[in-house]
């Protein structure tokens, strides 16, 4: 069927085709929709398709249709000024799909819209808090920088877009925008970018990037590089990281276990003159505890004790960190003394509180009648309990109008502090060893469990018994069969550690602590089951000395044991002894019930927790922490020869280096520069160690290796590290490595491939090009 066409005069066609602003919208057999109020269309034959178009004038929206044998070609011409207005109207009405179509149409015609329209697009898409439109807004920013048109982008819209990206869980583009702002010297104030940092720190990649951002920005201010007296430096000074920014980044590192990166942040704090507040002191304590910096914790203790604005929760967190560190280093004396000191202070405080309560109660009774006469109706109501708690951070963003009116970014600063409080609240939940009651520190069952396990592993049974007996005296008295020491003995019996149980029982007897018959009965039955008759005789003698009368179940067990050994006379003697002592039948089933309950996880008491900790917990090698501290000290002082000797000594003593050991060595070599061969040798040792032992490669170690290899141009090794990180689903900051590559290897392998090159040269070239492609430069 033939297509009908309208005939037009040649002069009209010439005028129609003389428009300067036109674009080919589509090539197809079906015409596409045209946005505009005027539609001009005409059909021309195939013989006119080769006419030349001479652009000489601008005119309203026009549409030209060329009918050919192949199909229909639509050429659409629009007025850019009108198109800009349509884009603004669409974004104001939140018609995002129409907005994006109009924007793409403008890009085909003229490229980027005018500056005000571009920035309105960024803020409009950011206000949507929709990941799809946020990503499109970020793509606009990337394209502007690629085409060197970053002058179209204003600082405030970019900050606002970065905030929206961070709130929607897109930390990589959010951090990239902040980095671009710094690169182009549009310095964002710290009150603004700390809020972005806060939202980023709620994810593992974002927390890592937050730490990197502070390191990069903090580097600009190290050692007084910026003169604050110069007015021209005012925007730069306003960007300087403050205490809140550090608190946010450090809390994020703690929550996502990148504490060695956090320690790097602590190292630059004094170099940029950032002072610590109460929150920062506690965060520092957590970092030192995780990294095993016990001496640093002891130094920090003086500041904690002298601080006047710390809360009970903060005190609890610090002493929990200190106690945990003592356990890590196997310093059981310090740990047990801390627990006993807490118990003593709690006992004194309870006695003082009881006296004060008695005095207040007496005074209240004397004044009750008088108060009843003069008091009127209670017109005020107390604030409901829990109303002071931190509010949940809602997933919303302030409007751009409100954002732009707040010139000092006060609201963003407050938002950053709110998010910081939520991060710190998560840290508080990790405190397990210490609790507080009426503002008084008290040990929990968890610390008893860990201490007992450590004493048993170290074979210090006398010290364990002495500690538990002292703890019983300081704490509230309990029955003889329910004391902590009895629970420990019963746990040892359940685990088959009968000698340790017997030794602890002896220590109790020597200290004059009387216990019930149940613990003797359970140990006796365990000895009979293990057919250890000499120990049975010894235990019976000890029970008689202590004045303990065994129950019928013990005699039943002893008689059965004699029968199995075919000692009929011995069995009859025991039965006769039982009759003469008038021991009633029925036995004492308490211990059996307790053990069965623990086996089924029905009990949550001390014994159940101790059994679980011993069976599931890993034995700590305190020597590794000691040597890690020594190596870390030498590496920090850049005494790498001494660090190498310490590492060799550590190996010779049978301690296996871990990720923290190697991280200190790698960062130490990187700090002095040029030691790439040594780092390569360490990398080889790490790989061989991982194949033969449970060596765990973490993100911080591999990231430090990758940085060193890229800096030195060892791209074969760098690609190995990248492969390992990607297999482990670890986050890699590609922007950092792209910047590093461009700084040191921008011209590497840019020319033609040489005709003659060795196999080694070819391998290095291919590795470098592969890495370059991975970071997005090819």
């Amino acid at each position: 069927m033939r297509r009908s066409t309208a005939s037009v005069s040649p002069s009209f066609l010439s005028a129609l085709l003389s428009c300067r602003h036109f674009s080919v919208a589509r090539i197809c057999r079906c015409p596409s929709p045209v946005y505009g109020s005027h539609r001009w269309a005409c059909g021309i034959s195939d013989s006119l398709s080769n006419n030349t178009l001479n652009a000489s004038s601008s005119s309203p929206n026009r549409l030209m249709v060329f009918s050919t044998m192949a199909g229909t070609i639509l050429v659409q011409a629009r007025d850019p000024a009108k198109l800009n207005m349509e884009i603004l109207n669409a974004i104001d009405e939140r018609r995002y799909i129409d907005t994006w179509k109009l924007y793409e149409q403008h890009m085909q015609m003229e490229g980027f819209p005018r500056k005000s329209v571009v920035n309105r697009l960024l803020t409009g898409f950011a206000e949507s808090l929709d990941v799809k439109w946020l990503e499109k807004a970020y793509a606009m920013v990337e394209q502007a920088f690629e085409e060197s048109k970053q002058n179209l982008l204003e600082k405030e819209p970019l900050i606002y877009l970065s905030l929206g990206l961070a709130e929607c869980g897109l930390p990589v583009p959010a951090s990239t925008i902040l980095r671009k702002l710094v690169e182009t010297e549009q310095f964002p104030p710290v009150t603004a970018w700390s809020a972005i940092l806060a939202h980023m720190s709620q994810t593992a990649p974002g927390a890592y990037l937050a730490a990197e951002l502070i390191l990069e920005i903090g580097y600009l201010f190290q050692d007084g590089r910026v003169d604050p007296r110069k007015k021209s430096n005012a925007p730069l000074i306003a960007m300087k990281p403050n205490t809140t920014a550090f608190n946010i980044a450090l809390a994020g590192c703690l929550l996502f276990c990148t504490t060695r990166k956090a320690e790097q942040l602590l190292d630059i704090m004094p170099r940029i003159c950032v002072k610590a507040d109460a929150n920062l002191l506690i965060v520092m304590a957590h970092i030192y505890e995780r990294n095993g910096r016990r001496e640093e914790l002891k130094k920090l203790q003086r500041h904690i004790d002298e601080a006047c604005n710390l809360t009970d929760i903060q005190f609890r967190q610090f002493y929990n960190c200190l106690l945990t560190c003592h356990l890590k280093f196997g310093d059981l004396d310090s740990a047990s003394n801390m627990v006993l000191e807490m118990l003593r202070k709690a006992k004194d405080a309870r006695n003082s509180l009881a006296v004060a309560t008695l005095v207040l109660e007496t005074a209240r009774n004397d004044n009750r009648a008088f108060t009843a006469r003069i008091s009127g109706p209670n017109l005020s109501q107390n604030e409901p309990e829990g109303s002071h708690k931190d509010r949940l951070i809602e997933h919303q963003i302030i409007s751009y109008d409100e954002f732009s009116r707040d010139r000092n970014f006060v609201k963003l600063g407050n938002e950053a502090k709110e998010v910081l409080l939520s991060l710190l609240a998560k840290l508080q939940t990790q405190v397990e060893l210490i609790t507080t009651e009426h503002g008084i520190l008290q040990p929990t069952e968890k610390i008893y469990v860990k201490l007992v396990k450590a004493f048993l592993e170290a074979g210090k049974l006398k010290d364990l018994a002495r500690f538990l007996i002292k703890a019983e005296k300081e704490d509230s008295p309990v029955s003889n069969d329910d004391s902590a020491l009895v629970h420990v003995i019963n746990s040892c019996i359940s685990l088959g550690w009968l000698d340790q149980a017997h030794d602890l029982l002896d220590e109790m007897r020597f200290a004059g602590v009387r216990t019930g018959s149940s613990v003797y009965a359970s140990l006796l039955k365990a000895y009979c089951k293990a057919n250890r008759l000499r120990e049975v005789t010894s235990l019976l003698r000890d029970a008689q000395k202590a004045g303990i009368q065994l129950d019928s179940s013990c005699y039943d067990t002893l008689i059965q044991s004699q029968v199995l050994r075919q000692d009929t006379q011995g069995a009859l003697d025991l039965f006769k002894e039982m009759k003469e002592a008038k021991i009633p039948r029925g036995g004492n089933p308490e211990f059996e019930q307790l053990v069965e309950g623990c086996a089924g996880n029905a009990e949550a008491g001390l014994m159940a927790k101790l059994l679980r900790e011993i069976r599931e917990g890993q034995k700590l090698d305190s020597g590794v922490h000691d040597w890690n501290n020594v190596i870390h000290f030498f590496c920090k002082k850049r005494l790498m020869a001494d660090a190498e000797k310490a590492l060799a000594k550590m190996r010779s003593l049978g301690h296996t280096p871990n990720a923290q050991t190697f991280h200190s060595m790698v960062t130490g070599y990187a700090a002095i520069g040029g030691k790439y061969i040594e780092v390569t040798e360490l990398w080889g040792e790490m790989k061989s160690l991982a194949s033969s032992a449970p060596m765990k490669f973490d993100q911080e170690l591999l990231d430090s290796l990758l940085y060193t290899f890229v800096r030195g141009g060892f791209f074969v090794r760098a690609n190995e590290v990248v492969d390992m990180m990607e297999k482990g689903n670890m986050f890699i900051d590609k922007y950092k490595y792209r910047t590093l590559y461009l700084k040191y290897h921008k011209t590497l392998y840019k020319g033609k491939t040489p005709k003659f090159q060795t196999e080694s040269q070819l391998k290095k070239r291919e590795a470098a090009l592969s890495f370059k492609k991975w970071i997005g430069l090819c």
Side-chain angles (χ1 to χ4, degrees):
M1 185 170 115
R2 292 189 59 189
R3 179 186 177 96
S4 61
T5 59
S7 60
V8 294
S9 65
S11 60
F12 177 78
L13 181 62
S14 176
L16 178 65
L17 297 179
S18 64
C19 176
R20 176 183 301 176
H21 304 290
F22 67 90
S23 63
V24 177
R26 193 176 175 187
I27 302 178
C28 63
R29 293 190 178 275
C30 301
S32 65
V34 180
Y35 299 92
S37 56
H38 301 283
R39 302 190 182 186
W40 296 65
C42 65
I44 59 173
S45 66
D46 189 32
S47 62
L48 295 176
S49 62
N50 294 323
N51 288 355
T52 41
L53 304 177
N54 298 317
S56 61
S57 62
S58 60
S59 54
N61 302 340
R62 305 198 176 184
L63 176 69
M64 289 151 283
V65 182
F66 295 80
S67 279
T68 64
M69 295 290 292
T72 303
I73 301 178
L74 278 150
V75 181
Q76 180 179 354
R78 304 292 303 272
D79 180 5
K82 186 174 181 60
L83 196 53
N84 275 290
M85 289 302 299
E86 290 179 5
I87 292 173
L88 289 174
N89 290 335
I91 196 67
D92 288 340
E93 295 169 6
R94 301 191 178 187
R95 293 185 286 111
Y96 298 117
I97 296 176
D98 291 344
T99 302
W100 188 250
K101 287 180 179 178
L102 291 166
Y103 167 74
E104 286 184 322
Q105 193 174 348
H106 197 290
M107 289 296 292
Q108 292 171 4
M109 287 173 49
E110 293 278 312
F112 279 99
R114 59 175 180 258
K115 186 173 185 177
S116 60
V117 176
V118 170
N119 289 284
R120 182 66 190 95
L121 279 172
L122 297 181
T123 58
F125 286 145
E127 281 181 318
S128 72
L129 282 186
D130 186 314
V131 172
K132 174 184 176 181
W133 301 116
L134 282 166
E135 288 177 342
K136 288 193 179 291
Y138 176 70
M140 289 172 57
V141 174
E142 275 196 322
Q143 187 177 356
F145 275 96
E146 287 172 3
E147 297 180 9
S148 300
K149 293 185 177 180
Q150 58 266 27
N151 59 321
L152 291 173
L153 308 173
E154 295 177 352
K155 181 170 75 172
E156 284 75 13
L158 286 177
I159 293 173
Y160 189 73
L161 175 59
S162 180
L163 178 65
L165 289 163
E167 286 199 25
C168 287
L170 300 170
V172 175
S175 63
T176 302
I177 289 176
L178 288 179
R179 283 165 159 167
K180 293 290 187 184
L181 284 169
V182 176
E183 282 180 14
T184 55
E185 298 186 357
Q186 299 184 72
F187 305 119
V190 65
T191 47
W193 67 264
S194 60
I196 298 169
L197 217 65
H199 290 290
M200 287 171 53
S201 296
Q202 297 184 76
T203 63
Y208 203 83
L209 284 169
E212 289 285 2
L213 277 170
I214 289 195
L215 288 172
E216 292 170 12
I217 295 174
Y219 178 78
L220 303 174
F221 300 92
Q222 282 186 14
D223 306 322
R225 292 177 180 174
V226 180
D227 188 354
R229 296 170 297 180
K230 292 183 178 179
K231 290 185 177 180
S232 58
N233 286 337
L236 182 57
I237 294 293
M239 185 181 67
K240 179 182 172 182
N242 59 11
T243 307
T244 301
F246 270 95
N247 271 325
I248 290 167
L250 292 170
C253 288
L254 279 169
L255 289 173
F256 296 103
C257 302
T258 51
T259 50
R260 294 194 291 279
K261 178 67 71 175
E263 199 164 359
Q264 292 178 14
L265 294 179
L266 294 182
D267 290 339
I268 72 164
M269 277 179 56
R271 300 184 67 181
I272 62 176
C273 303
V274 173
K275 294 182 179 180
D277 62 0
N279 287 327
L280 192 51
L281 288 175
I282 303 305
V283 171
M284 289 168 67
H286 281 285
I287 294 166
Y288 290 145
E289 178 265 310
R290 298 272 188 93
N291 293 342
R293 311 287 183 231
R294 188 162 65 140
E295 293 305 315
E296 298 297 331
L297 262 178
K298 289 179 179 178
K299 293 176 186 176
L300 191 61
Q301 186 175 5
R302 179 171 58 85
H303 298 286
I304 294 292
D305 292 337
E306 292 175 356
C308 57
N309 58 343
L310 291 179
T311 64
D312 294 342
I313 294 174
Q314 289 171 328
F315 271 112
R316 185 172 71 198
Q317 289 181 79
F318 174 78
Y319 283 100
N320 185 86
C321 292
L322 184 58
L323 194 51
T324 305
C325 220
H326 286 322
L327 290 174
K328 276 185 179 180
F329 282 82
D331 190 353
L332 303 182
D333 291 337
S334 296
S336 57
N337 288 335
M338 268 189 72
V339 172
L340 292 174
E341 183 66 21
M342 278 188 277
L343 291 173
R344 276 192 291 271
K345 289 183 177 179
K347 184 178 180 180
D348 294 341
R350 276 196 302 269
N351 294 336
S352 302
L353 183 62
V355 173
T357 303
L358 180 61
V359 172
L360 288 173
E361 188 64 31
T362 304
R364 188 179 296 113
N365 290 335
D366 292 341
N367 294 327
R368 184 169 295 163
F370 177 72
T371 304
R373 284 195 302 269
I374 64 170
S375 60
N378 188 8
L379 299 178
S380 63
Q381 295 183 355
N382 292 331
E383 186 180 2
E385 185 179 357
S387 62
H388 61 283
K389 293 181 180 178
D390 301 330
R391 291 175 298 151
L392 293 174
I393 307 302
E394 297 179 357
H395 192 62
Q396 61 182 15
I397 191 170
I398 62 173
S399 67
Y400 184 70
D401 290 338
E402 189 178 357
F403 172 86
S404 58
R405 286 195 299 268
D406 187 7
R407 304 304 299 173
N408 295 321
F409 303 103
V410 175
K411 290 185 178 179
L412 287 191
N414 293 334
E415 187 175 332
K417 291 175 182 177
E418 284 188 14
V419 179
L420 172 60
L421 289 176
S422 70
L423 295 174
L424 295 177
K426 293 177 183 177
L427 286 179
Q428 294 170 12
T429 61
Q430 299 176 3
V431 177
E432 297 180 333
L433 306 184
I434 297 175
T435 185
T436 52
E437 186 176 343
H438 303 297
I440 303 162
L441 297 177
Q442 291 186 330
T444 63
E445 280 189 342
K446 186 78 172 178
I447 181 58
Y448 282 108
V449 168
K450 288 188 173 292
L451 269 173
V452 168
K453 180 190 175 190
F455 274 119
L456 289 173
E457 288 177 348
K460 296 181 177 180
L461 299 180
K462 288 185 179 180
D463 294 336
L464 172 58
R466 194 180 303 118
F467 161 68
L468 290 175
I469 290 168
K470 288 180 180 179
E472 289 291 341
K473 290 178 180 178
E474 298 294 346
D475 205 357
S476 302
V478 293
S479 64
N480 290 334
D481 287 336
D482 195 35
S483 66
L485 191 49
V486 170
H487 281 296
V488 172
I489 294 171
N490 286 334
S491 298
C492 290
I493 294 170
S494 295
L495 294 166
W497 300 351
L498 304 184
D499 292 333
Q500 289 91 328
H502 200 158
D503 290 343
L504 287 171
L505 201 54
D506 288 342
E507 292 298 330
M508 282 186 73
R509 186 164 50 84
F510 296 151
V513 178
R514 185 174 176 82
T515 184
S517 62
S518 62
V519 66
Y520 279 93
S522 29
L523 182 56
L524 184 69
K525 293 173 185 176
Y527 274 142
C528 290
K529 188 176 181 180
N531 199 24
R532 297 176 62 174
L533 299 180
R534 183 179 300 175
E535 285 80 3
V536 169
T537 304
S538 174
L539 185 62
L540 286 171
R541 188 166 52 249
D542 292 342
Q544 289 174 355
K545 289 179 183 179
I548 300 296
Q549 179 62 63
L550 299 177
D551 57 37
S552 62
S553 65
C554 293
Y555 277 99
D556 290 343
T557 304
L558 287 169
I559 291 169
Q560 289 174 12
S561 175
Q562 296 292 347
V563 171
L564 288 173
R565 293 179 64 250
Q566 297 182 352
D567 186 359
T568 309
Q569 186 59 44
L572 289 172
D573 291 341
L574 285 169
F575 184 76
K576 184 178 178 181
E577 181 182 331
M578 178 180 170
K579 293 278 286 182
E580 290 174 353
K582 297 181 180 180
I583 297 173
R585 305 287 295 176
N588 188 3
E590 286 84 359
F591 177 69
E592 286 80 358
Q593 291 175 0
L594 182 59
V595 172
E596 289 173 5
C598 291
N601 286 328
E603 293 278 337
L606 179 63
M607 181 179 168
K609 292 177 182 177
L610 180 58
L611 289 171
R612 194 180 306 118
E613 179 74 20
I614 291 173
R615 286 167 177 162
E616 300 176 4
Q618 296 181 350
K619 188 173 181 179
L620 293 175
D621 186 356
S622 57
V624 172
H625 293 291
D626 287 320
W627 282 106
N628 278 349
N629 272 335
V630 172
I631 292 170
H632 176 74
F633 172 80
F634 287 134
C635 292
K636 200 171 180 180
K637 299 293 183 182
R638 302 188 181 186
L639 303 172
M640 296 310 297
D642 294 322
E644 290 166 359
K645 291 177 184 177
L647 181 59
K649 184 68 174 177
M650 178 183 182
R651 292 194 193 101
S652 67
L653 292 174
H655 300 297
T656 305
N658 58 15
Q660 187 172 351
T661 318
F662 289 117
H663 183 267
S664 296
M665 295 295 294
V666 172
T667 52
Y669 283 132
I672 60 177
K675 297 289 184 178
Y676 305 115
I677 302 298
E678 289 81 353
V679 175
T680 304
E681 291 173 355
L682 277 178
W683 173 234
E685 182 184 347
M686 283 182 246
K687 289 189 291 184
S688 62
L689 193 61
S691 61
S692 60
M695 162 83 181
K696 183 181 179 182
F697 290 99
D698 58 28
Q699 179 187 1
E700 294 168 291
L701 172 59
L702 293 176
D703 189 67
S704 63
L705 280 165
L706 182 56
Y707 185 91
T708 307
F709 287 142
V710 175
R711 172 68 181 83
F714 286 64
F715 292 107
V716 175
R717 303 297 174 219
N719 289 335
E720 291 176 2
V721 177
V722 169
D723 290 341
M724 184 172 288
M725 293 183 78
E726 289 184 337
K727 286 178 183 177
N729 293 322
M730 299 178 191
F731 171 73
I732 310 175
D733 184 6
K734 286 189 179 182
Y735 186 95
K736 178 174 74 173
Y737 292 108
R738 190 182 304 121
T739 305
L740 189 66
Y741 185 93
L742 291 173
K743 184 176 181 180
Y744 294 105
H745 311 292
K746 188 174 183 179
T747 59
L748 185 65
Y749 300 125
K750 271 209 158 185
K752 293 183 179 179
T753 306
K755 292 183 180 179
F756 303 100
Q757 54 183 341
T758 64
E759 184 178 349
S760 174
Q761 290 172 333
L762 178 63
K763 187 177 179 182
K764 288 180 180 178
R765 182 186 182 90
E766 288 176 349
L769 293 176
S770 174
F771 183 83
K772 188 177 179 181
K773 182 179 180 181
W774 177 76
I775 58 177
L777 291 177
C778 286

